[in-house]
Amino acid sequence: MADTRVASGLTVEQWDSQFFTEYLTENRFEGEMGTDENKIIQVKENLTKKPGDRVNFALVNKLTNNAITGSATLEGNEEDMASRSCEVAVNKRRNGVRVAEIDEQFSAISLREAGKAVLKDWAKKDTETLIIKALGRVGGIEMNATDIAAGANQTALDAWLVDNADRVYWGNNAYTANTDFSAGLATLTNATATERLTAANISAIKFKAMTLANPRIRPVREEANGRYYYTMYAHPLAFRDLKADTVITQAQREVSLEMENSRLFKGGDLLWDGVIIKEIPEMYGINTLTNLGDSSTSTVVPCFLAGAQAVGVAYAKRWRSVEETFDYGDKKGIAIDSIYGVEKLTFGSGASDRDDLKDNGVATLFVSVSATT
């Protein structure tokens, strides 16, 4: 008589492995995530093989010295690689579901399958929210109306703006001093169309990131066509204004075929001047700076131009499932948990490793919006 065996795909280990794979591939940011330094969101799993509460991401700046030519001496004139580091701390994050026997009788595996969709969706949203918040964190301050307006945070905001003056742009170049964060917000008004997200403002922030920023923000190379792109994560109010820009409307007719043939693009994305613009609806509930613009009545929103190594994601433990029985066996539950962290990668530009932190792969564009609803 042959023994009945559970299919390998239904074992807990196989289920957890498949869950983690689907969680990554269905994530809103999956096209920008990867382990190499050419990715906007760089993933490291160093702590899955050893203990620790944080992962170090390293930056080695490009060499800038002129070549030593002819018989001139190289010894003693070597260039300092000026390496810097950024720490990403990890923490345990988890959620679960519970089902009573009276509602439905579950086996261990069917319970996992039944809860898979909702738990996976929650895990994806958890990571997406952390990435959005990381992109908008400035000087340790969350990019929301309450924290940006708080008087106690103004010193940190101003310090961030000074350190990142070469990678911040206010719509239509409305504020150039880049010393006072609240003054920059106050220059933007909902009534001025040129201060909204437009093709011109996208080109301006790209030029700053590619040419004026020091160090420059590296674009991502698309292997399929060998071209280099930046990606802009746009607030939905700003994205709506951009779609009304006649320059953008015309441009999309000309690039639609190129976009369809590239893995970097998703449905609804726009392309302008080597920048892929992606609408991020979740930014509405996180990054809407209501009544912080001109005359304290205009709404300002950020858009993030991202290049390589903009965000770091560190995993100490991949997502895994745990089953538990409660109430004398009447209720069965399944939980998922992971130990990971997400941070915008910032590297020091001062004398010491962590002095005068700069956003490594992010340039921030602040714009007004035509309407808030």
Side-chain angles (χ1 to χ4, degrees):
M1 180 181 296
D3 293 335
T4 300
R5 298 183 181 275
V6 177
S8 61
L10 298 181
T11 64
V12 175
E13 182 177 353
Q14 291 289 335
W15 190 94
D16 286 346
S17 178
Q18 183 185 29
F19 181 95
F20 186 77
T21 299
E22 292 177 358
Y23 147 82
L24 287 176
T25 57
E26 296 176 19
N27 188 300
R28 178 186 295 279
F29 298 98
E30 65 88 15
E32 296 90 75
M33 296 177 71
T35 57
D36 64 87
E37 296 179 356
N38 187 50
K39 292 295 185 180
I40 291 174
I41 303 170
Q42 187 178 10
V43 179
K44 287 195 173 186
E45 294 189 83
N46 301 42
L47 296 182
T48 59
K49 300 176 182 177
K50 59 183 179 181
D53 65 347
R54 62 199 64 232
V55 170
N56 269 300
F57 287 74
L59 170 70
V60 179
N61 288 325
K62 290 184 177 180
L63 302 180
T64 58
N65 280 2
N66 292 327
I68 303 296
T69 61
S71 60
T73 302
L74 175 60
E75 185 176 352
N77 294 303
E78 297 87 354
E79 186 173 353
D80 182 5
M81 290 193 298
S83 61
R84 304 279 179 161
S85 67
C86 178
E87 292 183 339
V88 176
V90 299
N91 203 351
K92 189 168 187 175
R93 304 180 70 84
R94 56 182 178 162
N95 200 357
V97 295
R98 187 187 298 195
V99 178
E101 184 180 25
I102 195 171
D103 295 321
E104 188 171 355
Q105 179 65 42
F106 286 98
S107 70
I109 300 304
S110 63
L111 175 59
R112 281 189 169 86
E113 290 303 316
K116 185 176 184 177
V118 292
L119 290 173
K120 184 171 61 180
D121 185 64
W122 178 86
K124 289 189 301 180
K125 292 301 180 185
D126 185 61
T127 302
E128 290 169 2
T129 299
L130 291 180
I131 291 173
I132 293 168
K133 288 186 174 181
L135 285 165
R137 196 170 294 116
V138 292
I141 309 302
E142 297 289 343
M143 185 78 74
N144 59 66
T146 300
D147 290 342
I148 292 298
N153 293 335
Q154 296 310 304
T155 298
L157 292 171
D158 293 346
W160 171 83
L161 182 57
V162 170
D163 291 337
N164 290 273
D166 58 348
R167 53 238 301 130
V168 174
Y169 187 81
W170 307 85
N172 199 34
N173 207 24
Y175 179 64
T176 58
N178 282 331
T179 56
D180 187 325
F181 192 92
S182 59
L185 293 175
T187 62
L188 300 176
T189 175
N190 295 163
T192 305
T194 54
E195 293 177 358
R196 300 169 191 163
L197 185 59
T198 62
N201 283 325
I202 292 172
S203 292
I205 188 69
K206 177 201 171 182
F207 178 80
K208 197 165 192 179
M210 182 177 63
T211 307
L212 303 179
N214 183 26
R216 295 172 182 172
I217 296 175
R218 292 187 295 116
V220 171
R221 183 177 184 273
E222 165 68 326
E223 296 178 0
N225 57 25
R227 294 187 61 184
Y228 290 86
Y229 297 98
Y230 289 106
T231 293
M232 175 173 282
Y233 299 113
H235 191 287
L237 295 177
F239 194 83
R240 181 179 62 186
D241 289 338
L242 181 64
K243 289 191 295 184
D245 186 339
T246 55
V247 176
I248 290 293
T249 303
Q250 177 61 36
Q252 299 320 294
R253 300 190 185 104
E254 300 169 359
V255 302
S256 58
L257 182 60
E258 176 187 348
M259 294 172 65
E260 290 173 2
N261 293 332
S262 174
R263 63 180 294 275
L264 295 178
F265 295 91
K266 299 286 194 304
D269 292 349
L270 301 176
L271 175 65
W272 171 254
D273 194 15
V275 179
I276 303 166
I277 305 101
K278 296 178 178 287
E279 181 181 17
I280 307 297
E282 292 80 3
M283 288 177 65
Y284 184 85
I286 299 174
N287 304 130
T288 305
L289 307 182
T290 307
N291 297 334
L292 290 178
D294 179 61
S295 302
S296 299
T297 57
S298 292
T299 293
V300 177
V301 300
C303 296
F304 307 114
L305 183 82
Q309 289 185 291
V311 174
V313 179
Y315 286 96
K317 186 178 74 173
R318 294 183 170 194
W319 290 102
R320 64 157 193 175
S321 63
V322 180
E323 189 183 7
E324 187 66 84
T325 302
F326 307 91
D327 193 16
Y328 297 96
D330 182 65
K331 298 176 178 64
K332 294 181 180 180
I334 180 174
I336 56 167
D337 62 48
S338 177
I339 301 177
Y340 76 110
V342 180
E343 290 290 347
K344 177 163 59 176
L345 295 181
T346 58
F347 296 100
S349 61
S352 299
D353 184 23
R354 303 293 290 157
D355 288 348
D356 304 326
L357 294 175
K358 283 192 177 186
D359 297 346
N360 180 60
V362 181
T364 305
L365 169 64
F366 292 97
V367 295
S368 62
V369 295
S370 60
T372 57
T373 56

